[in-house]
Amino acid sequence: LHEDEQYEKATRVYTDFARLYPGDHRAEYAFYQSIKCSQAGILSVDRDQTKTHDTLELAEQFLAKPHFAHYRPLVQNICEQCYANLIHHELVVCDYYLKNQLYNPVDKRLAYVKEKLSPHAPLLQRDILSCEIRLAQLQNNSSLAAQKLDQLAAIPPTV
């Protein structure tokens, strides 16, 4: 089997085990492994993000189980990485639209990013604001660009 198919199969096997035997002492480990296998199939941010969504869904199911504590920090980290990937993917798409002077789709994607994704990845606020500034400048909206530049300046630089 191809490597991707192996990860797909492993994801299914681990997920099935965790769902069929939730009381087993190995269920948390199996669920964590299913998430790791799913994560291995995530593509770069300029490609389809279906696997990122799948991994995020598994990770959120894991985190919804309060008795799963041992791997919780690792799964939370995977969630953060997934949200960062999704935001970067949307910004790549926005960049494409901006280069082609298609501003309406950028507005819609940025609204989606700000409402659904950015609360889970606050460290990417600078990147989102940079895209908003670029959009405002390309639309010749200097007052909005200035407002967004002020917001950007108020964010402390990351180390």
Side-chain angles (χ1 to χ4, degrees):
L1 288 176
H2 187 268
E3 185 177 335
D4 290 342
E5 293 169 353
Q6 293 283 25
Y7 281 119
E8 283 290 327
K9 182 178 178 182
T11 300
R12 280 192 309 277
V13 169
Y14 280 124
T15 302
D16 288 348
F17 180 89
R19 288 190 179 140
L20 291 171
Y21 307 102
D24 190 288
H25 70 280
R26 297 167 293 186
E28 179 182 5
Y29 172 78
F31 212 141
Y32 171 68
Q33 288 301 319
S34 73
I35 295 165
K36 290 292 294 173
C37 290
S38 181
Q39 182 186 30
I42 291 176
L43 301 174
S44 62
V45 297
D46 60 334
R47 306 213 21 228
D48 179 53
Q49 293 300 299
T50 301
K51 200 63 175 167
T52 306
H53 286 285
D54 295 346
T55 303
L56 187 57
E57 183 179 333
L58 283 172
E60 288 175 343
Q61 289 172 12
F62 179 100
L63 294 173
K65 300 180 183 306
H67 60 285
F68 283 180
H70 186 75
Y71 297 99
R72 184 167 295 276
L74 297 170
V75 173
Q76 287 170 328
N77 188 4
I78 291 169
C79 266
E80 291 170 12
Q81 291 172 17
C82 287
Y83 278 111
N85 279 12
L86 293 174
I87 290 171
H88 283 124
H89 171 75
E90 292 297 328
L91 294 177
V92 166
V93 174
C94 286
D95 185 54
Y96 168 81
Y97 285 130
L98 289 172
K99 286 179 182 174
N100 289 287
Q101 299 176 351
L102 300 167
Y103 305 133
N104 193 38
V106 176
D107 277 329
K108 290 179 181 179
R109 285 185 177 270
L110 286 174
Y112 165 75
V113 166
K114 287 169 39 176
E115 180 184 341
K116 301 288 185 184
L117 303 177
S118 70
H120 303 282
L123 294 177
L124 295 177
Q125 191 61 34
R126 295 180 72 78
D127 297 339
I128 297 165
L129 278 169
S130 294
C131 186
E132 290 179 306
I133 291 165
R134 187 166 165 221
L135 174 62
Q137 289 170 337
L138 289 170
Q139 292 178 314
N140 296 317
N141 188 338
S142 57
S143 63
L144 181 60
Q147 176 189 354
K148 296 295 181 181
L149 279 166
D150 289 343
Q151 290 176 8
L152 183 62
I155 298 174
T158 56
V159 177

